[in-house]
Amino acid sequence: MALTVTQCADWIKLTLGNNPGAPLSTLEIVNQAGRHLVTMRAWKWLEGRTATLDTVAAQDYADLPADFGEPIALEVADRSYSVTWVTRQRLDCLRAAGNESGSIFSVFVSTRAADEETPPTPVLELSPPAPTTTVGYFNLSYRATWADLTSDQDYVPISPICDTLYKRLLQVFARGYTREEQGSLDQRLVEIATGPVFRNAIRDDRRKQTDYGRIRGAISEYSTEPFRLPTTITGP
């Protein structure tokens, strides 16, 4: 069953014997443990997320999902357009040259903030700008990362195979900040990274396999009859 932030708070309280003291909140521990978890390895369960991206006419970017990590595939719903990935420098050159039309979108992932008090969020930079205001203009497949939770009722977005590992990380981050005299946070994280809980999670994650469909040229496409070389030699 998926963990909620409230359940994580109970787990942290059980670990410490009380609630974490100010200024460290339960949400901070939950999010820091989550950020660390998703960077421990290239988890298969973070792959294959999908989303549709909306556009605003004449706007040169589209907002990406809050848990966006890195792109896997991007398509334009309007088949008259295609997409090519470019560097930041190339994108700036295209914009400076007035690349305002055409059937190919040059794209690049960056972050933008609405103002100085707002944390930056991931966006898909576009050149040329979007021609229309459209819901679901782009279809995106991506690898997810951690998106900070903000409410006690939020669910922790992890695979069940990492439940035990995540609970251990909650313990480590809670103790690391409040009981440093018993061992540093770094020491505890090294113990987890070399321990059996992490190895078991890796083993279970490796068993996950995306269905790639029928492989062209696979043995199943051919006859199951015994293979015989052609010959002109006849028997006695």
Side-chain angles (χ1 to χ4, degrees), residues 121-143:
T121 56
V123 298
L124 184 72
E125 302 280 356
L126 307 172
S127 180
T132 60
T133 298
T134 306
V135 175
Y137 193 86
F138 291 99
N139 297 315
L140 173 70
S141 175
Y142 65 100
R143 169 182 285 278

Side-chain angles (χ1 to χ4, degrees), residues 16 36 45 61 75 139 143 156-157 164 176 193 205 217-218:
L16 299 178
H36 187 81
W45 55 267
Y61 70 92
E75 293 181 341
N139 297 315
R143 169 182 285 278
V156 179
T164 302
D205 186 62

Side-chain angles (χ1 to χ4, degrees), residues 32 169 172-174 176-177 180 183-190:
Q32 289 189 27
L169 289 171
V172 162
F173 275 90
Y177 285 119
E180 289 191 78
S184 71
L185 176 60
D186 289 345
Q187 289 174 327
R188 291 186 170 109
L189 290 176
V190 169

Side-chain angles (χ1 to χ4, degrees), residues 99-121:
N99 179 36
E100 300 299 318
S101 61
S103 60
I104 300 176
F105 280 109
S106 295
V107 299
F108 176 80
V109 173
S110 70
T111 58
R112 293 194 181 195
D115 52 58
E116 294 182 356
E117 297 181 358
T118 305
T121 56

Side-chain angles (χ1 to χ4, degrees), residues 18 48 122 152 167 187 193 199 203 210 218 221:
N18 51 37
D152 289 345
K167 289 175 180 176
Q187 289 174 327
R199 289 198 300 269
R203 178 202 62 203
T210 303
E221 289 193 14

Side-chain angles (χ1 to χ4, degrees), residues 1-217:
M1 185 175 67
L3 287 170
T4 65
V5 172
T6 298
Q7 290 171 316
C8 291
D10 292 339
W11 190 256
I12 292 170
K13 186 175 181 180
L14 179 65
T15 300
L16 299 178
N18 51 37
N19 291 318
L24 192 66
S25 70
T26 296
L27 269 173
E28 286 179 291
I29 296 175
V30 167
N31 285 321
Q32 289 189 27
R35 292 186 210 116
H36 187 81
L37 172 67
V38 299
T39 59
M40 292 183 75
R41 76 181 306 267
W43 299 103
K44 286 183 178 294
W45 55 267
L46 289 172
E47 295 176 357
R49 305 289 174 90
T50 59
T52 57
L53 310 182
D54 304 336
T55 56
V56 177
Q59 183 172 280
D60 62 358
Y61 70 92
D63 291 321
L64 289 166
D67 65 345
F68 175 84
E70 59 180 311
I72 295 176
L74 180 70
E75 293 181 341
V76 188
D78 182 350
R79 295 298 180 178
S80 62
Y81 286 85
S82 59
V83 171
T84 182
W85 293 91
V86 298
T87 63
R88 171 88 260 183
Q89 182 180 15
R90 176 60 178 162
L91 189 73
D92 290 342
C93 288
L94 290 170
R95 287 174 172 172
N99 179 36
E100 300 299 318
S101 61
S103 60
I104 300 176
F105 280 109
S106 295
V107 299
F108 176 80
V109 173
S110 70
T111 58
R112 293 194 181 195
D115 52 58
E116 294 182 356
E117 297 181 358
T118 305
T121 56
V123 298
L124 184 72
E125 302 280 356
L126 307 172
S127 180
T132 60
T133 298
T134 306
V135 175
Y137 193 86
F138 291 99
N139 297 315
L140 173 70
S141 175
Y142 65 100
R143 169 182 285 278
T145 188
W146 184 266
D148 280 357
L149 307 181
T150 58
S151 166
D152 289 345
Q153 302 307 311
D154 284 345
Y155 284 94
V156 179
I158 62 173
S159 168
I161 66 174
C162 286
D163 275 0
T164 302
L165 176 60
Y166 181 70
K167 289 175 180 176
R168 289 285 290 116
L169 289 171
L170 285 175
Q171 291 177 313
V172 162
F173 275 90
R175 288 174 176 155
Y177 285 119
T178 61
R179 298 179 182 175
E180 289 191 78
E181 73 282 354
Q182 298 178 9
S184 71
L185 176 60
D186 289 345
Q187 289 174 327
R188 291 186 170 109
L189 290 176
V190 169
E191 290 174 2
I192 287 182
T194 57
V197 174
F198 183 42
R199 289 198 300 269
N200 289 342
I202 291 175
R203 178 202 62 203
D204 293 342
D205 186 62
R206 283 175 175 164
R207 293 173 178 169
K208 285 184 167 292
Q209 176 63 57
T210 303
D211 181 8
Y212 295 111
R214 190 174 185 179
I215 301 174
R216 182 169 297 178

